[in-house]
Amino acid sequence: MNNSIVRFILGHVLLIEAAFLLLPCLIAAIYGENEGLWYLLTAALCGLLGFLMILRKPKNNIFYLKEGCVATALSWIFLSFFGALPFLFSGEIPSFTDALFETISGFTTTGASILSDVEALSHCSLFWRSFTHWIGGMGVLVFLLAIIPLSGGSNINLMRAESPGPSVGKLVPKVKYTARILYLIYLGMTIVEILLLLIGKMPLFDALTISFGTAGTGGFSIKNDSMMSYSPYLQWVVTIFMILFGINFNAYYLILYKNIKKAFGMEEVRCYIAIILVAIGIIFFHILPMSSGTFDALTKSAFQVGSIITTTGYATADFDLWPQTCRTVLVLLMFIGACAGSTGGGIKVSRIVVLMKSVIKELNSYIHPKSIKKINLDKKPIEHEVVRSINVFFITFMLLFSTSVLIVSFEGQDLVTTFTAVIAAFNNIGPGLAKVGPTQNFGFLTPLTKYVLMFDMLAGRLELFPLLILFHPAIWKDLLTQKMGRKSRNKSS
């Protein structure tokens, strides 16, 4: 394994985080908050370590999917560890476990919080919580590819390891330009949402933080009641943008280049919209009797469906009090998730579509044993390798999910709390049901459970395998072999 390129990438990631940590310092200066000093100290620490790690450039810039996965997993662990330090140093979250949980939840765009009183945090910490969503939504390594010239044609391995979805391709011939296009779309949509929220007379600080959470489909709010106290106009703006950020960004690229027919003809996008409309309809008719009118019921049902299927996690109502059918629909949406190539989490609509088509194909093979049919998506045949990887992903997903539920069950909480806590973490949603519902938090859980959920959040955001590869013995054997080789060369010299 090319360890030097992994170290080089990690160094750049720390330098990027150091730059990002200066933004809460600016917020602290504006509001006159002393907590900003801890963000400045952490930024200096990240900058120093990052500079030392990139000081010696790698001799070989080529890296394969293995290096891409290891660099991705370690990057997110580094980001989370150092991103948690300001919370810990300032004393706003005095427990390291809780500070790490909050930060991992932010970067993975989960939005599950251990805080019972969010509004007690300083403005700079509230900004940092929400900004971690924005960083994690598109991915820090995609940002790295957009601004840092990494030579070699293997950069796609880095993007493939971090970007959500069953397959990642290049929009344009060069990966660097693909990354830039993605971030420009991401930034542009975020700015538009901020402007629309400001038109609705939302304060600038609120508009920034809420937009960061919406764009990254994260869900950290700066208010204890999440989005409940905002006006219906503001709730509808957030609803629309949550759904928009859950769409495959390839569709926006096609729209920009005036290929609108192809963009809206994407099968995954059509299925995604259809699922949303059906879910809104079911929930709307069930909560209509308990709402203050038709518009109120439509607003709440649309918001919660958009929030859950995109794995954002904002709330305008305590949906844990809704009828059983509504809660069942929401739990199913937690598993489905948003589109591949979006900022949303979950299994992804494209995988669900392919899995369903695989079942239909298998049934047809029983009726017509000699028939040979390929699974198509967007009128194009899907390669066997892609179908195989989706099947393996689903099996791995269920194995990890079941194991996590079993371990968390040792805590002794009720089944609904245990089950939905793992769903909320694994699919990067945020709120679950019962004791981890939209008006509750995860602070009461034991450290063991929190670390299990932290692993689930990282595994869910990184699509399982980039994180799991760190536990493969061959990776550490390769690492030790290279270290032993260097030591023997040094002795001989």
Side-chain angles (χ1 to χ4, degrees), residues 337-351:
C339 297
S342 71
T343 61
I347 295 175
K348 303 293 183 302
V349 174
S350 59
R351 285 198 182 99

Side-chain angles (χ1 to χ4, degrees), residues 470-490:
L470 289 182
F471 298 91
H472 199 292
I475 295 296
W476 297 104
K477 184 180 178 180
D478 193 8
L479 181 64
L480 290 172
T481 302
Q482 290 194 27
K483 281 189 175 181
M484 294 297 290
R486 282 197 298 269
K487 284 182 180 180
S488 62
R489 286 194 297 271
N490 291 335

Side-chain angles (χ1 to χ4, degrees), residues 328-349:
T328 302
V329 169
L330 292 177
V331 169
L332 292 174
L333 294 179
M334 290 178 183
F335 279 103
I336 295 171
C339 297
S342 71
T343 61
I347 295 175
K348 303 293 183 302
V349 174

Side-chain angles (χ1 to χ4, degrees), residues 29-175:
I30 293 172
Y31 287 94
E33 297 171 336
N34 295 328
E35 288 83 359
L37 294 174
W38 298 112
Y39 286 92
L40 187 62
L41 175 64
T42 308
L45 179 61
C46 289
L48 177 62
L49 289 174
F51 175 75
L52 292 175
M53 291 173 76
I54 68 167
L55 203 56
R56 190 176 63 193
K57 292 185 178 181
K59 295 179 181 179
N60 182 10
N61 285 333
I62 302 298
F63 54 96
Y64 300 97
L65 188 58
K66 176 175 65 174
E67 285 86 357
C69 288
V70 171
T72 298
L74 291 178
S75 293
W76 283 73
I77 293 170
F78 273 47
L79 276 171
S80 301
F81 176 82
F82 287 100
L85 294 182
F87 292 131
L88 187 66
F89 292 158
S90 65
E92 293 190 280
I93 304 180
S95 164
F96 173 74
T97 299
D98 286 348
L100 187 62
F101 185 97
E102 197 79 6
T103 310
I104 289 177
S105 181
F107 278 118
T108 59
T109 72
T110 303
S113 180
I114 50 83
L115 298 170
S116 57
D117 185 9
V118 173
E119 296 175 29
L121 291 180
S122 60
H123 285 87
C124 60
S125 291
L126 287 173
F127 181 89
W128 178 240
R129 282 174 82 242
S130 297
F131 192 60
T132 56
H133 282 333
W134 197 83
I135 299 169
M138 186 58 68
V140 70
L141 295 180
V142 176
F143 182 79
L144 177 67
L145 289 172
I147 62 171
I148 304 295
L150 291 174
S151 60
S154 53
N155 295 356
I156 188 66
N157 289 322
L158 201 61
M159 182 178 283
R160 188 175 287 121
E162 185 180 51
S163 299
S167 62
V168 175
K170 293 181 282 187
L171 300 178
V172 291
K174 289 191 176 182
V175 175

